Amino acid sequence: RDDTFDIPVIVVTLSNESQRAYQLGAHSFIQRPYMPDDLIKAVLKAEVESNTERILIIDDDPSSIRLLTQLLNQSGSYRVFSAENGTDGISMVARRHPDLIILDLRMPGKDGFAVLEELRSNPETVNIPVIIITGELSLNSTEQDLLSNIHILYKTDISQEQYDRFIQDVRRHLDTGGNN
């Protein structure tokens, strides 16, 4: 199930069917009899993985999602997942509880502004840091006001320097929980 996706499962059994256990989603497989150190190592490894910061990308452009995911995976150890529209994005926020959201502004249906408004109106999601990514270069004054305290990365003409700054912003938002 999606709401238990991030919970690591350690299988301890007399069976030697490790491949089947991994196919079913096991984090670790330990065959009995085992040494206590084997279980301790597996639990510590699972704990580290379960504490990996979760980043949700909400963007209707699959190539943008691939690019951002690749960039994040090259730059750190994050659990990155995505939604291709605002409605699915809000649903994933409720189920996956991300540590950071990377949000596209212009999407069909529920756009980034509507997603942001919904996140900010819910006490459970109000403090999740958000970084806006958009191809929109001409934001009107109302839109600029709505985004005044949010970092924006523009998709057009992204230089290595802007990518580096994006990764620095991701790390800063995760380290501070979005508080500047």
Side-chain angles (χ1 to χ4, degrees):
R1 289 184 36 178
D2 209 30
D3 55 349
T4 59
F5 175 82
D6 289 327
I7 299 172
V9 175
I10 300 171
V11 175
V12 180
T13 181
L14 287 169
S15 169
N16 64 355
E17 295 187 48
S18 63
Q19 187 165 348
R20 182 166 179 250
Y22 288 123
Q23 286 172 342
L24 293 172
H27 177 274
S28 301
F29 179 89
I30 300 174
Q31 188 172 1
R32 293 176 75 176
Y34 61 91
M35 298 299 292
D37 279 356
D38 295 337
L39 183 58
I40 291 169
K41 286 177 188 172
V43 169
L44 291 174
K45 184 178 175 190
E47 182 180 25
V48 166
E49 188 168 313
S50 69
N51 288 328
T52 300
E53 291 164 314
R54 295 175 306 279
I55 300 175
L56 170 60
I57 301 169
I58 305 173
D59 193 329
D60 64 322
D61 180 2
S63 63
S64 182
I65 291 173
R66 278 193 304 276
L67 178 66
L68 290 168
T69 300
Q70 180 180 7
L71 182 63
L72 290 165
N73 287 334
Q74 289 171 353
S75 304
S77 180
Y78 306 112
R79 186 169 292 177
V80 180
F81 47 101
S82 62
E84 291 189 7
N85 62 62
T87 302
D88 290 349
I90 289 293
S91 179
M92 274 200 161
V93 169
R95 292 190 317 266
R96 297 277 183 90
H97 309 286
D99 299 298
L100 173 68
I101 298 169
I102 299 171
L103 176 63
D104 184 24
L105 286 181
R106 306 293 187 208
M107 297 180 286
K110 185 178 285 196
D111 69 3
F113 290 103
V115 169
L116 198 55
E117 185 178 326
E118 193 166 333
L119 291 171
R120 295 307 177 237
S121 65
N122 182 339
E124 292 183 22
T125 60
V126 69
N127 291 319
I128 299 174
V130 175
I131 295 175
I132 298 295
I133 182 154
T134 185
E136 182 69 41
L137 294 176
S138 57
L139 299 171
N140 66 42
S141 60
T142 304
E143 292 170 336
Q144 288 174 2
D145 288 346
L146 290 170
L147 303 175
S148 63
N149 293 323
I150 299 176
H151 177 73
I152 301 173
L153 177 69
Y154 294 95
K155 292 180 185 180
T156 56
D157 301 325
I158 298 177
S159 66
Q160 184 63 47
E161 182 180 323
Q162 287 171 308
Y163 274 134
D164 293 343
R165 175 140 188 245
F166 168 70
I167 292 301
Q168 290 170 357
D169 284 341
V170 166
R171 290 181 179 141
R172 181 176 53 83
H173 278 80
L174 289 170
D175 289 344
T176 64
N179 300 324
N180 293 329

